[in-house]
Amino acid sequence: MVLSPEEARVVACLVEKETTIADSYPLTLNALRLACNQSTNRDPVVAYDDRTVENALMSLKSMGLVRFVHPSHGGRTIRYRHVADERWRMTHAELFVVAVLVLRGPQTTSEVRARTQRHVDDGDSGTVEEILDMLAARSPEPFAARLEHRPGEREGRWAHALCGLPGPDLAGAEWPAPIVDHDPVTTSATASAPTDLARDVAELWLRVERLERLLGLDEDVTSQR
């Protein structure tokens, strides 16, 4: 499962806010957009509009990573929450470390530890070092990757792998090229198909959600769990 940068940012923000502002979680679309566009504790800083966030949410829902919480008891605002811990079978600590890597960019182990220590209990999944090693060893695809030292650096950095393994421009090192057993043209066309399908499904879900709101057919998704 390879996410787009927008999808990775949205799900990471949901993970972060579930922990840091639990009283306001799940998030409204406006709150989630503001979380994505924060100018602090973000690398890079982005400026998503509502449509960008909505499209990412619909795509994430089709992947089983996000659920929509429909209004009840007279409410009118749909809220959004992640279920990435269930989909990826991760503990809170593991998921929070991934979110920090997504939202803050490549970091050393010391930086990850400093930015997660208030919210990650070592007894949950082990130390931050152990969590990072585990994320890098996940199969069939890793969730984090260790970047080689750049000139002048004393400590290597870590990056998330939700959007695929980091390339040489980010890692400062050569990543092994994938082994291709099939015709390159055919493989390329086939690889793009899941991404196109996910976008089509996301657009379809978006239309369905809008129709449900117009027809008054909203329901509380959490009651179905």
Side-chain angles (χ1 to χ4, degrees):
M1 183 184 298
V2 178
L3 306 185
S4 69
E6 294 79 11
E7 292 161 357
R9 173 68 64 106
V10 166
V11 74
C13 285
L14 289 173
V15 171
E16 176 194 58
K17 298 307 180 184
E18 179 188 31
T19 298
T20 59
I21 55 169
D23 292 343
S24 301
Y25 186 84
L27 302 183
T28 63
L29 177 63
N30 183 61
L32 181 54
R33 177 178 52 79
L34 292 175
C36 290
N37 295 342
Q38 280 183 206
S39 58
T40 58
N41 299 328
R42 296 290 185 266
D43 182 15
V45 174
V46 299
Y48 294 165
D49 57 18
D50 284 349
R51 186 60 181 272
T52 299
V53 177
E54 282 184 321
N55 287 341
L57 284 167
M58 297 310 304
S59 183
L60 290 167
K61 181 178 181 180
S62 72
M63 300 177 194
L65 291 168
V66 163
R67 286 182 184 161
F68 293 12
V69 182
H70 294 277
S72 58
H73 307 297
R76 295 184 178 182
T77 303
I78 296 177
R79 291 177 177 266
Y80 308 93
R81 65 187 183 93
H82 78 86
V83 283
D85 51 346
E86 300 174 13
R87 181 69 174 83
W88 289 332
R89 298 181 181 180
M90 286 187 183
T91 65
H92 168 263
E94 294 163 355
L95 197 58
F96 195 78
V97 167
V98 173
V100 167
L101 290 176
V102 172
L103 298 176
R104 302 295 293 268
Q107 301 158 64
T108 64
T109 302
S110 299
E111 290 171 332
V112 175
R113 185 187 307 108
R115 290 163 179 167
T116 60
Q117 62 183 357
R118 290 177 54 195
H119 308 291
V120 172
D121 181 0
D122 283 352
D124 189 2
S125 300
T127 65
V128 168
E129 291 85 348
E130 292 170 338
I131 291 174
L132 289 168
D133 287 337
M134 183 280 301
L135 292 172
R138 282 287 293 262
S139 178
E141 298 294 339
F143 284 82
R146 188 192 298 271
L147 309 182
E148 291 192 6
H149 293 225
R150 295 184 300 184
E153 287 185 337
R154 294 184 177 181
E155 186 178 356
R157 298 172 302 152
W158 289 87
H160 76 88
L162 296 188
C163 303
L165 287 173
D169 56 331
L170 175 62
E174 292 292 335
W175 285 92
I179 299 175
V180 180
D181 295 326
H182 306 288
D183 178 73
V185 175
T186 303
T187 303
S188 177
T190 303
S192 66
T195 300
D196 294 340
L197 178 60
R199 299 296 178 269
D200 291 342
V201 171
E203 183 65 26
L204 178 60
W205 270 111
L206 184 58
R207 295 179 181 179
V208 170
E209 292 293 336
R210 288 173 176 168
L211 285 174
E212 286 182 347
R213 291 198 295 269
L214 290 174
L215 297 174
L217 298 178
D218 294 342
E219 58 181 351
D220 190 345
V221 178
T222 57
S223 65
Q224 301 178 7
R225 293 191 61 194

